[in-house]
Amino acid sequence: IVKRLSDRPMETTGKKKRLTLVDGTTIRQLRVGGYRVFYDVDVDARLVIVRHVRWKGRNPTESAL
């Protein structure tokens, strides 16, 4: 997780993508095996804020949120 998020966390290619929640908030998702890492990026402070790490398995991503 650290390796993937420390190098270009804003990229949405490969195993990273953006999700828009019901309330309109946009978060990013990183797939790591059967886990999903949900995170935000504070560009000004150069920080990656990990919100949740959840086991997804075969369930849809929305169920992991």
Side-chain angles (χ1 to χ4, degrees), residues 10-28:
M10 298 291 288
E11 261 185 26
T12 57
T13 59
K15 294 180 170 77
K16 300 174 192 168
K17 67 178 182 178
R18 294 175 65 165
L19 301 170
T20 303
L21 303 178
V22 176
D23 65 0
T25 306
T26 300
I27 61 171
R28 297 173 185 283

Side-chain angles (χ1 to χ4, degrees), residues 37-58:
V37 179
F38 300 97
Y39 67 99
D40 295 318
V41 178
D42 184 338
V43 178
D44 297 331
R46 297 182 53 138
L47 290 175
V48 173
I49 301 128
V50 176
R51 289 177 157 215
H52 300 283
V53 178
R54 301 271 172 98
W55 173 254
K56 179 182 178 283
R58 294 181 172 261

